[in-house]
Amino acid sequence: MPNLLIADDHPLFREALRGAITRLFPDAKLQEAEDAGGLYSMVDAATDADLLLLDLTMPGVQGLSALVHLRAQHPQLPIVMVSAREEPALMRRALDHGAMGFIPKSADAASIGEALRHVMDGERWAPRAALEAVRVADEGERDIARKVSGLTPQQFRVLQMLSTGLLNKQIAYDLGVSEATIKAHMTAI
């Protein structure tokens, strides 16, 4: 029985993914998250997950940062990006940063099923245009990705919260720690 995770902030699209998954894997165990906090908790708890379908743009997620972080923290978990953004260069960047696939939200049920079958069989899947696109992640971007992947989960949360404009005091309150702890994380970051 496959264990699949869905992280998307749009209830209608989560429902569509559930439908595609249950047609392909009727006995699949499904878990869902609708924001970054729920995503990280779900993935940390689901140590036996077989696949994560991850929306590119969810509350609390900045670009490909969640992908990079999850690849570092859970290297065994195959991740397929799902997005309404369909530029071949963006899809290629996701693949270059460790995604096993990229499913455009405009894909029909047959394409979603094909993508899921390929990835569950250990193969990469993305639209042909993405696979043929020139690698676009430059050395600077790869260096940043390496640095982000080296952060602890708590340092990564602090960095994400900082990127939304929160102050150290606000981050400390939200995470239930002291401001000194946040300052220590900031130094490490």
Side-chain angles (χ1 to χ4, degrees), residues 92-174:
R92 183 63 202 212
R93 283 180 58 221
L95 296 172
D96 289 348
H97 285 295
M100 285 294 291
F102 195 107
I103 300 173
K105 286 190 175 180
S106 64
D108 59 20
S111 296
I112 293 171
E114 177 185 348
L116 293 174
R117 276 191 298 279
H118 278 348
V119 174
M120 291 296 285
D121 287 342
E123 303 169 21
R124 287 183 130 192
W125 188 94
R128 173 169 274 127
L131 297 172
E132 294 173 350
V134 176
R135 292 181 181 264
V136 292
D138 63 15
E139 187 54 40
E141 183 177 329
R142 287 190 295 273
D143 184 49
I144 290 170
R146 278 190 294 275
K147 289 176 182 176
V148 167
S149 69
L151 297 176
T152 67
Q154 191 73 336
Q155 290 168 345
F156 182 73
R157 286 184 194 100
V158 169
L159 179 61
Q160 282 192 303
M161 295 172 90
L162 180 68
S163 73
T164 66
L166 293 177
L167 303 173
N168 287 353
K169 182 182 283 189
Q170 294 168 310
I171 296 170
Y173 178 79
D174 287 351

Side-chain angles (χ1 to χ4, degrees), residues 51 56 71 75 85 107 118 148:
L51 177 68
L56 180 65
R71 294 299 320 130
R85 293 191 52 200
H118 278 348
V148 167

Side-chain angles (χ1 to χ4, degrees), residues 22-43:
T22 55
R23 279 190 295 282
L24 193 60
F25 306 107
D27 59 343
K29 176 181 172 189
L30 298 173
Q31 298 175 64
E32 299 178 18
E34 62 185 29
D35 58 24
L39 164 66
Y40 300 127
S41 296
M42 175 179 68
V43 172

